[in-house]
Amino acid sequence: MLDDLLTRLCPMHLILDAEGTIRHAGPTLQKLRPGAQLAGQRFLELFRLTRPRAVTGFADLMADADGKLSVGFRDAPHTTLKGQIVAVPGGAVVALSFGISLLDAVRDYDLTSADFAPTDLAIELLYLVEAKSAAMEASRQLNQRLQAARIAAEEQAFTDTLTGLKNRRAMDHVLARKSGGGMPYSLMHIDLDFFKQVNDTLGHAAGDHVLQQVAQVLVEETRREDTVARVGGDEFVIVFDNLTDRPRLQRIARRLIERLEHPMRFQGRTCAISASIGLALSVEEPGCAPEDLLHHADLALYAAKRAGRATMRFYATPAPGDAARCAPGWAEPGRDEVGPEPGLNRA
Amino acid sequence: MHGLVNRAIQSFVTNTYGRARWRSVTEAAGLGGIEFEAMLSYEDGLTDAVIDALCADLGVCRNDVLEDLGTYLVSHPEVEALRRLLRFGGESYVDFLHSLDDLPDRARLAVSDLRLPVLELREEGAGRFTLTCGPDLPGFGWVMMGILRAMADDYGALVMLEHDGIRDGDEVIAITLIETAFAKGRDFNLGARAG
C-alpha cells in the first residue's frame, strides 16, 4: 500500500527497514542502477553521505535531528542526490531528488519525462536551461555583431571624439588627395609644450580639458576650408589650402602660440602650456609628396623644440651640395619677417 | 514586434527559398535586404510588410505562407532548438496539446519581452479538441496550424486540423486526433541539447 502510493507520488523513494536495508526502491531510482537490484542492499553501502557527514552507522543517521540528506552513489557514475529521511514504524522512508545534478543525470541515465513525478519541476528546469541557453546565445551573437560594427565604425571614423577635430585618418585622406599636385598648400605641425606636466600634476581630466581648449583655439584661428586634425596625444596638424605666404603663416603661428599660452582654468586650477610649431610649404618643394612634406614639417617642429620651445620654424630645403638625403634643415625666422633664403642649421 | 518573430520569418525565407529571395522580398517591402536581430524589437508594421511582400513574391495566399512558416519552425534542422523546447511540453501529443495553454508563459519565462497570443485548449471528447488563439497577432492561428501538423509528425500521431476562422476576435482551430501512435515519430532525448 505504502509502496504503491510512494511509487506514484515519489518515483525516487526508498523504503528501509530498521537496520537500514532497502526493502523497496522507487522505479526511477532503480533505473539509475540497471544492473543491480536495489532492494536488499544496505543504504549506507550504496550511498556515501556528505550530509550529515559524521555518521558511522544507520542508528546515527536515524538519530540525526532534521533528516536532511545529501548523498552520492559509491560506484560510478557518482550522481549526487538530495533528500529527506523520515522514520516510520519498523524503519524509514527516504525521498530523493537530483537537485542540481539533474542535467548530468538525464544524460547519464537516458531519463524521460515519465521518470519524474508530475509535480517534479525537473522538466521545467530542463526546459528553462535550454530556452535560456538559446536566448543567451542569440544575445551573445548580437553583442558580437554590435561589437564588430562598432569597431568598424570607429576605424572608419574621421572625427577625434575628444576634441571634435579631424583625426589622423581624416588627415591622411586629405593629404592623399594632394598627391596629384594642383592647389598649393602648407602643413603646420603643432606639438604642445608642458602638456605632460598638466596631465601628470592635474590629472587626465585636466589634460582632456586643455586639449579641448586648444582645439577651439585652432579652429578659431583658421579658415573654414583648412583641415585641423589631432594626429596624436598632444599633436595637431593643420593643412592650409592655397595659403603659402610665409609672413602670413608666421603671423598665424605666432598668434596660435600666444593664444595657447593664455592660462586655462580647470576646476579652479591653472593649466599653463605653450606650443612648438613646424611649417613646410608645398611651393618651396615642387614635386614633394604630401607625406614627405609632412615629415619636413615634423623636422621643422623638432627644430622649434630644440630652439627652446614656444616658437616656430619653417622647413628649409638642404643647401645645394649637401649629400645627406632628407637632411633636416630649417629657417630661422627673423624678428619681423622671414627671409626667403633658407639658413641651414644642422642639428 | 519581437525580433525573434522577425528572425524566424527571415530564417524561414532564406532556408526555404534562398538568400536572393530574402533580398528581393525585403526590397519589395522597402527594407532593402534587412537582417533582423533576434534580440531587438522592431515596428509591428515591418513584419506585415515582409509577409505581404513574400506572399506577393510567391503568389501564395497569406494563410498558406503562415502555415508553411509554422511547419518550418518545427521541422527544419536550423531551428531544432525550437522543436526541442516544444517537445518539453510532454510525453505524448495529447500532453503537448495541453501544454499549449502554458506556451505564452513558457515563452515569457525564456525571453521576458516575448509576448505570444493567449492559447486555450478545450477537450471536446472522443479525440476532438479546439484551440483558440488570442487576437494579438492576426494570422498566428495559421502559424499554429503548421506547428500542430508538424508536431503531430514529430510525435508520430495522426491528426486532422481545420482552421474554423475567427470567433469573437479569436482564431479557432479544430483538432481531431485519429491515432496517437500512427508512426514512430522522432526521438526526443531530454539530455541531448540542440547545438
Side-chain angles (χ1 to χ4, degrees):
Chain A
M1 171 64 196
L2 181 66
D3 298 7
D4 291 346
L5 183 70
L6 286 176
T7 294
R8 295 199 64 181
L9 289 181
C10 181
M12 290 182 65
H13 74 276
L14 293 169
I15 299 176
L16 311 179
D17 65 16
E19 279 71 49
T21 302
I22 298 169
R23 290 287 158 235
H24 182 263
T28 302
L29 212 49
Q30 180 60 60
K31 193 174 176 180
L32 305 189
R33 284 294 175 275
Q37 189 70 32
L38 296 187
Q41 296 193 45
R42 293 188 64 85
F43 179 71
L44 289 179
E45 284 168 13
L46 182 62
F47 293 111
R48 193 174 58 83
L49 263 62
T50 50
R51 173 181 180 180
R53 221 176 259 279
V55 169
T56 50
F58 189 65
D60 276 3
L61 179 59
M62 294 308 293
D64 188 68
D66 64 2
K68 283 185 181 161
L69 293 178
S70 189
V71 305
F73 280 102
R74 288 192 184 272
D75 60 335
H78 305 281
T79 310
T80 58
L81 303 166
K82 53 186 258 183
Q84 177 82 42
I85 185 167
V86 180
V88 293
V93 171
V94 181
L96 293 168
S97 107
F98 288 109
I100 209 70
S101 71
L102 175 68
L103 268 70
D104 293 329
V106 290
R107 228 163 296 188
D108 290 345
Y109 304 112
D110 201 19
L111 300 175
T112 73
S113 54
D115 293 318
F116 298 96
T119 49
D120 195 328
L121 288 175
I123 302 301
E124 279 75 10
L125 178 64
L126 292 170
Y127 161 80
L128 206 53
V129 167
E130 245 183 83
K132 281 290 179 194
S133 305
M136 184 79 88
E137 175 60 17
S139 289
R140 199 184 60 79
Q141 286 178 3
L142 170 61
N143 281 338
Q144 272 182 346
R145 278 195 290 274
L146 289 180
Q147 177 69 1
R150 188 200 161 101
I151 290 168
E154 276 176 0
E155 279 171 356
Q156 283 162 23
F158 280 126
T159 303
D160 171 49
T161 49
L162 177 63
T163 61
L165 298 178
K166 298 275 189 286
N167 60 15
R168 177 173 279 279
R169 212 178 105 81
M171 183 201 66
D172 288 343
H173 269 261
V174 169
L175 289 185
R177 285 204 299 273
K178 302 271 176 221
S179 56
M183 196 187 286
Y185 63 99
S186 309
L187 295 179
M188 179 181 281
H189 198 162
I190 304 163
D191 189 276
L192 302 185
D193 296 324
F194 318 115
F195 177 73
K196 192 176 178 316
Q197 285 89 320
V198 171
N199 247 347
D200 289 351
T201 57
L202 300 180
H204 286 290
D208 288 351
H209 175 75
V210 165
L211 291 171
Q212 285 163 346
Q213 297 299 304
V214 169
Q216 195 181 336
V217 168
L218 299 187
V219 169
E220 283 171 8
E221 293 297 327
T222 51
R223 305 164 303 171
R224 273 184 79 85
E225 62 265 39
D226 300 326
T227 302
V228 183
R230 176 169 170 241
V231 299
D234 59 344
E235 269 182 74
F236 302 83
V237 167
I238 303 176
V239 183
F240 292 99
D241 269 340
N242 228 350
L243 171 53
T244 51
D245 176 49
R246 277 203 176 202
R248 204 171 146 203
L249 287 166
Q250 188 181 3
R251 276 198 301 278
I252 293 171
R254 289 208 164 134
R255 172 104 183 115
L256 282 176
I257 293 170
E258 187 188 314
R259 282 201 59 186
L260 294 180
E261 285 178 347
H262 268 285
M264 300 170 187
R265 304 286 293 171
F266 179 76
Q267 291 179 351
R269 317 241 344 226
T270 301
C271 315
I273 59 156
S274 184
S276 298
I277 294 178
L279 272 150
L281 285 56
S282 72
V283 290
E284 294 179 2
E285 303 176 70
C288 183
E291 60 270 23
D292 292 333
L293 203 67
L294 184 64
H295 177 58
H296 294 163
D298 189 38
L299 292 173
L301 167 66
Y302 180 60
K305 285 265 179 203
R306 282 182 59 89
R309 307 185 179 194
T311 185
M312 58 85 64
R313 289 289 184 274
F314 283 103
Y315 177 78
T317 45
D322 191 332
R325 199 172 63 84
C326 272
W330 48 83
E332 289 279 353
R335 200 160 287 144
D336 297 308
E337 65 168 22
V338 181
E341 72 286 356
L344 188 66
N345 187 356
R346 184 80 60 86
Chain B
M1 186 70 66
H2 199 283
L4 269 171
V5 175
N6 291 347
R7 185 77 188 180
I9 295 170
Q10 179 181 340
S11 167
F12 164 60
V13 175
T14 50
N15 287 312
T16 311
Y17 304 107
R19 298 199 65 81
R21 180 81 72 159
W22 177 250
R23 246 192 323 278
S24 65
V25 164
T26 50
E27 268 159 24
L31 300 169
I34 189 171
E35 300 272 328
F36 287 114
E37 285 292 350
M39 287 294 145
L40 295 180
S41 278
Y42 296 89
E43 295 257 342
D44 287 352
L46 300 191
T47 313
D48 283 328
V50 168
I51 290 172
D52 288 344
L54 179 62
C55 296
D57 201 304
L58 297 173
V60 176
C61 80
R62 191 182 171 88
N63 296 347
D64 288 350
V65 166
L66 292 177
E67 188 173 343
D68 286 351
L69 168 63
T71 307
Y72 167 85
L73 291 177
V74 175
S75 54
H76 199 279
E78 180 76 12
V79 282
E80 167 73 4
L82 186 59
R83 175 190 87 94
R84 282 190 55 80
L85 293 179
L86 288 170
R87 281 292 293 252
F88 276 104
E91 276 284 275
S92 67
Y93 191 66
V94 173
D95 285 347
F96 163 73
L97 289 178
H98 282 289
S99 78
L100 292 175
D101 285 335
D102 298 335
L103 188 67
D105 287 337
R106 278 177 177 263
R108 219 153 36 81
L109 209 54
V111 180
S112 59
D113 56 347
L114 177 59
R115 298 293 148 99
L116 295 181
V118 174
L119 296 174
E120 233 179 83
L121 185 86
R122 203 162 305 146
E123 221 172 333
E124 311 282 359
R128 283 168 50 241
F129 303 83
T130 51
L131 180 71
T132 53
C133 310
D136 317 304
L137 214 57
F140 187 68
W142 288 100
V143 179
M144 283 308 300
M145 288 276 288
I147 289 177
L148 290 170
R149 210 183 290 287
M151 285 304 284
D153 269 6
D154 216 272
Y155 278 103
L158 184 63
V159 295
M160 262 171 35
L161 301 170
E162 199 161 346
H163 196 295
D164 279 352
I166 296 170
R167 260 181 250 155
D168 304 327
D170 296 338
E171 291 180 73
V172 180
I173 299 170
I175 304 161
T176 309
L177 181 61
I178 298 165
E179 216 178 314
T180 45
F182 172 70
K184 187 172 173 298
R186 285 169 71 191
D187 283 341
F188 175 66
N189 188 336
L190 277 183
R193 296 256 297 278

